[in-house]
Amino acid sequence: AAGGRGAIARAVHGVAEAAGVTPGSSILRVNERLVEGSPASVIQGLLDEAPLPVTLGLRLPTQEPKRARRRQRISVCTANCRGSYRVVNEGIGALGWQEVPQPALDSSVVWVEHSDSTDGLCPVQTMSRLEAFLPYCRKVRLATCLNTWVKESPDEFAFAPETWVLPDDAAEL
């Protein structure tokens, strides 16, 4: 240590290493005796004479936080985004992503809708199209299904507002 006072572990092996002691740790205490700031020769003498097992009080070296690697910003091509543009644009903003309004197949995400072609997408781009969910994009079909689900499992679908489909549910109004 500085000026021959205090002791810093230069190498760590065996039990000390397994206990998490790292090179650069400052020795503060040997058994119950405080040694912080003591001459290195005194600390070495205590270590040589102390009965085994020796208990050390340590201050582990502070590690500077690693800089986060700058990640490439996610870009979303919304050129084909039509009916869902408003919600997609809001999501892009909330996530801090970058919108690319002109056709760009090299974007991180390329938004395609129902019948849009997927030609030209890169092999690393993932395409997720759930055709069975298309009917739920229609208000009447979704409302009818939600009403059925609320009747079957009211606790699971408590979030759904009361919904009527006219003219089918006119009598309930």
Side-chain angles (χ1 to χ4, degrees), residues 28-108:
L28 306 176
R29 189 173 33 82
V30 175
N31 290 334
E32 296 303 318
R33 182 167 172 189
L34 294 174
V35 296
E36 183 177 21
S38 298
S41 59
V42 170
I43 296 171
Q44 184 63 53
L46 285 170
L47 290 171
D48 291 341
E49 296 168 11
L52 295 176
V54 174
T55 304
L56 298 177
L58 299 171
R59 180 184 321 123
L60 298 176
T62 57
Q63 294 180 345
E64 292 190 25
K66 293 182 180 178
R67 284 189 189 182
R69 205 171 106 191
R70 189 173 175 181
R71 299 175 79 187
Q72 189 175 13
R73 192 169 182 192
I74 295 175
S75 60
V76 181
C77 174
T78 57
N80 293 328
C81 191
R82 294 177 293 280
S84 50
Y85 178 76
R86 195 174 82 213
V87 72
V88 171
N89 186 297
E90 191 174 310
I92 291 169
L95 293 169
W97 294 355
Q98 176 185 6
E99 180 182 359
V100 180
Q102 68 278 4
L105 294 176
D106 60 339
S107 295
S108 308

Side-chain angles (χ1 to χ4, degrees), residues 89-166:
N89 186 297
E90 191 174 310
I92 291 169
L95 293 169
W97 294 355
Q98 176 185 6
E99 180 182 359
V100 180
Q102 68 278 4
L105 294 176
D106 60 339
S107 295
S108 308
V109 176
V110 177
W111 191 269
V112 293
E113 294 193 359
H114 316 294
S115 60
D116 292 339
S117 172
T118 57
D119 293 340
L121 290 181
C122 298
V124 297
Q125 290 172 320
T126 302
M127 175 64 187
S128 176
R129 187 179 277 174
L130 303 173
E131 297 296 337
F133 283 84
L134 184 57
Y136 303 116
C137 294
R138 307 286 184 245
K139 292 178 193 175
V140 172
R141 178 74 173 130
L142 177 61
T144 303
C145 289
L146 273 176
N147 286 338
T148 303
W149 296 334
V150 166
K151 287 176 189 169
E152 295 292 324
S153 303
D155 293 336
E156 296 284 328
F157 293 94
F159 64 88
E162 279 191 88
T163 305
W164 295 271
V165 177
L166 298 176

